[in-house]
């Protein structure tokens, strides 16, 4: 069995330690394991699939460059999510400084292989989300038969969606989210409480 | 004086986000609502996991972007400092820290039931000036510490002392054969047990 195929079966801690030892094959396995979760998180903040993919690439390359600084290999996943959350927020801020609206749907050309899905959401969401066209979170969930969830998340601010994804989907604790987003823990709790209340209210409306 | 009902503003006039919702801001959640919410989250997890497992492109970074990323990662390998090793008959020689660690990792992995995790190397203080005139950034490797994992339930796991000796021997042989290095000490730390 080749070294690379053996590494496909290794646990996360082993892969992180081997990658810190300079094993590129181990880090490639880590890329494959985490890219989807990172895309989900970036997509919750950004509304452009290309931007979200860029953020995921930057996140993983940054992680590779700084991997030797990671003290606790068991913290690798939350460390990655932190980098990704910060990068996503930076993109939104940069867009705001440039005076462009990172959320404006007209700025987003359809992506090859994704455009059809995005279009399907845009036409299939019944107008529930006026800004839905080009929203990668839509693109990401469109084939997931998770449209209900997507529509429940409509109306949440990007900052609330980001907190919500980190907590409810990625399972981070309040302190980890606070650290990832550079926020007081109380603000994280507040955003999550509002997000939860919003989703429950939408669920009630649809009953 | 401001009441909790009035929107607060900061010095720039932007609204301040309340850290925690005030008590009356959010409605009280019923047990039925909580159960429905939890069920929704569970189904989202299950569906996402199923899509990821099936390699569905909707939940994955495009293959082109992933390939580009992996090329970048390989292009940015940290080779570390150059290490002094004994000169060959035809001249001085040095190797990168990355090379040394790769030799060690592969040596450990050849031992049945053992898996390399990470190695630490201590170097002699002097550079390679005393070794054939090559001035490496680091001196000769003096001590090696190997952190390893052992397969649970394997023959190696039943005789850890022997396994550690085998690992030590494999590392020493590889260092001598491939790099001409004979460190004073090779420590083996069995740190984990793995399933397979």
């Amino acid at each position: 069995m080749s070294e690379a195929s053996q590494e496909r079966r290794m646990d996360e801690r082993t892969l992180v330690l081997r990658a810190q030892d300079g094993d590129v094959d181990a880090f490639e396995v880590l890329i494959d394991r985490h890219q989807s979760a990172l895309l989900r998180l970036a997509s919750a903040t950004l509304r452009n699939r290309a931007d979200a993919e860029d953020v995921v690439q930057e996140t993983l390359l940054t992680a590779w460059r700084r991997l030797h600084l990671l003290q606790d290999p068991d913290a690798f996943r939350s460390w990655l999510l932190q980098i990704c959350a910060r990068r996503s927020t930076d993109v939104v801020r940069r867009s705001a400084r440039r005076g462009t609206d990172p959320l404006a749907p007209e700025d987003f050309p359809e992506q090859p292989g994704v455009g059809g899905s995005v279009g399907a959401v845009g036409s299939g969401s019944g107008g529930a989300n006026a800004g839905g066209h080009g929203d990668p979170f839509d693109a990401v969930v469109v084939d997931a038969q998770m449209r209900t969830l997507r529509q429940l998340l409509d109306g949440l601010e990007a900052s609330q969606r980001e907190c919500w994804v980190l907590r409810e989907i990625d399972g981070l604790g309040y302190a980890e989210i606070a650290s990832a987003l550079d926020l007081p823990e109380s603000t994280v709790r507040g955003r999550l409480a509002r997000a939860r209340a919003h989703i429950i209210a939408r669920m009630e409306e649809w009953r | 004086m401001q009441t909790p009902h009035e929107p607060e503003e900061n010095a720039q006039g932007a609204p301040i986000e309340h850290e925690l919702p005030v008590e009356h801001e959010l409605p009280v959640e019923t047990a039925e609502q909580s159960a429905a919410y939890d069920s929704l989250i569970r189904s989202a997890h299950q569906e996402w996991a199923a899509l990821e497992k099936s390699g569905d492109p909707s939940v994955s970074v495009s293959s082109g972007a992933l390939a580009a990323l992996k090329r970048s990662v390989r292009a940015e390998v940290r080779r570390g400092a150059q290490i002094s090793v004994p000169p060959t008959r035809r001249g001085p020689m040095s190797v990168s820290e990355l090379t040394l660690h790769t030799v060690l990792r592969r040596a450990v992995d050849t031992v049945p039931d053992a898996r390399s995790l990470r190695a630490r190397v201590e170097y002699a203080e002097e550079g390679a000036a005393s070794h054939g005139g090559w001035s490496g950034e680091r001196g000769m490797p003096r001590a090696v510490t190997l952190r390893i994992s052992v397969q649970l339930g394997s023959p190696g796991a039943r005789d850890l002392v022997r396994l550690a000796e085998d690992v030590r021997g494999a590392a020493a042989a590889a260092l001598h054969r491939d790099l001409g290095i004979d460190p004073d000490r090779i420590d083996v730390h069995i740190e984990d047990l793995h399933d397979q």
Side-chain angles (χ1 to χ4, degrees):
Chain A
M1 190 182 292
S2 73
E3 192 174 352
S5 60
Q6 278 181 7
E7 274 158 340
R8 295 269 154 209
R9 296 155 59 184
M10 290 179 185
D11 63 79
E12 176 123 328
R13 178 185 167 79
T14 299
L15 288 168
V16 173
L17 286 166
R18 287 173 72 99
Q20 287 183 315
D21 203 49
D23 184 352
V24 184
D25 292 332
F27 193 74
E28 287 195 347
V29 177
L30 290 169
I31 289 176
D32 290 337
R33 285 194 189 171
H34 291 284
Q35 53 88 16
S36 178
L38 295 173
L39 180 65
R40 185 171 54 203
L41 175 61
S43 302
T45 313
L46 306 165
R47 291 201 168 190
N48 177 305
R49 170 113 185 183
D51 280 351
E53 290 207 2
D54 283 349
V55 163
V56 174
Q57 287 178 280
E58 287 172 23
T59 297
L60 288 161
L61 196 53
T62 301
W64 176 240
R65 288 173 183 152
R66 297 185 187 166
L67 192 59
H68 61 294
L69 301 174
L70 179 67
Q71 299 286 323
D72 178 7
D74 294 325
F76 179 73
R77 184 167 166 275
S78 61
W79 182 64
L80 270 188
L81 290 169
Q82 284 179 10
I83 297 172
C84 185
R86 287 179 184 167
R87 292 260 161 189
S88 301
T89 306
D90 285 348
V91 170
V92 172
R93 284 179 185 155
R94 273 204 305 273
S95 300
R97 276 203 296 275
R98 284 200 307 267
T100 57
D101 178 1
L103 309 183
E106 62 271 20
D107 290 343
F108 309 130
E110 292 185 351
Q111 301 299 311
V114 177
S117 299
V118 173
V121 169
S123 59
S125 60
N129 177 13
H133 183 77
D135 183 336
F137 202 65
D138 295 342
V140 164
V141 300
V142 66
D143 296 326
Q145 298 175 355
M146 284 159 61
R147 289 182 185 157
T148 304
L149 178 61
R150 182 190 63 73
Q151 289 175 344
L152 289 169
L153 293 172
D154 276 353
L156 280 182
E157 292 170 14
S159 59
Q160 289 177 333
R161 286 206 289 186
E162 189 174 46
C163 277
W164 187 86
V165 169
L166 285 170
R167 175 67 190 152
E168 300 288 23
I169 305 296
D170 292 314
L172 260 58
Y174 296 119
E176 287 177 300
I177 300 171
S179 166
L181 302 178
D182 267 338
L183 291 171
E185 201 173 310
S186 54
T187 301
V188 170
R189 287 178 183 272
R191 286 183 185 177
L192 287 169
R194 290 188 186 89
R196 184 180 174 112
H198 169 90
I199 291 169
I200 286 176
R202 294 294 293 263
M203 290 168 80
E204 284 294 305
E205 283 172 23
W206 293 356
R207 286 182 67 175
Chain B
M1 184 180 157
Q2 223 159 12
T3 72
H5 302 281
E6 295 171 342
E8 296 171 39
E9 293 182 346
N10 64 17
Q12 287 75 44
I16 293 174
E17 182 180 2
H18 282 290
E19 289 191 338
L20 286 169
V22 285
E23 207 167 277
H24 60 268
E25 186 188 334
L26 301 177
V28 176
E29 202 174 296
T30 66
E32 190 186 1
Q33 287 172 332
S34 300
Y37 179 88
D38 292 344
S39 168
L40 175 77
I41 304 295
R42 266 198 309 279
S43 69
H45 276 268
Q46 286 164 358
E47 292 197 24
W48 196 286
L51 285 163
E52 243 191 297
K53 196 174 175 186
S54 69
D56 192 297
S58 68
V59 297
S60 176
V61 173
S62 66
S63 56
L66 279 180
L69 169 63
K70 289 175 181 177
R71 280 196 299 276
S72 300
V73 163
R74 287 191 181 270
E76 293 202 22
V77 165
R78 290 168 55 85
R79 291 187 167 73
Q82 284 297 111
I83 296 162
S84 311
V85 295
T88 63
R89 279 181 301 165
R90 295 186 177 178
M93 179 173 140
S94 77
V95 298
S96 66
E97 281 183 282
L98 180 69
T99 304
L100 175 60
H101 281 252
T102 303
V103 167
L104 288 169
R105 186 169 60 253
R106 290 188 174 160
V108 173
D109 286 346
T110 62
V111 177
D113 310 327
R115 179 179 284 171
S116 176
L117 294 177
R118 198 176 181 183
R120 192 178 71 240
V121 182
E122 293 169 35
Y123 300 92
E125 282 183 14
E126 76 273 22
S130 57
H131 300 285
W134 181 265
S135 57
E137 296 165 88
R138 293 208 157 159
M140 293 279 283
R142 187 171 53 78
V144 173
T145 303
L146 301 170
R147 294 163 64 182
I148 69 163
S149 175
V150 178
Q151 188 175 336
L152 199 62
S154 66
R158 286 192 285 276
D159 190 350
L160 292 174
V161 175
R162 180 172 179 173
L163 182 91
E165 271 310 311
D166 289 347
V167 166
R168 199 189 320 271
L175 288 175
H176 182 83
R177 182 187 63 237
D178 296 347
L179 303 173
I181 298 172
D182 294 294
D184 300 336
R185 211 179 68 234
I186 298 178
D187 294 339
V188 177
H189 286 291
I190 298 170
E191 192 169 300
D192 273 332
L193 293 169
H194 60 266
D195 283 332
Q196 195 173 18

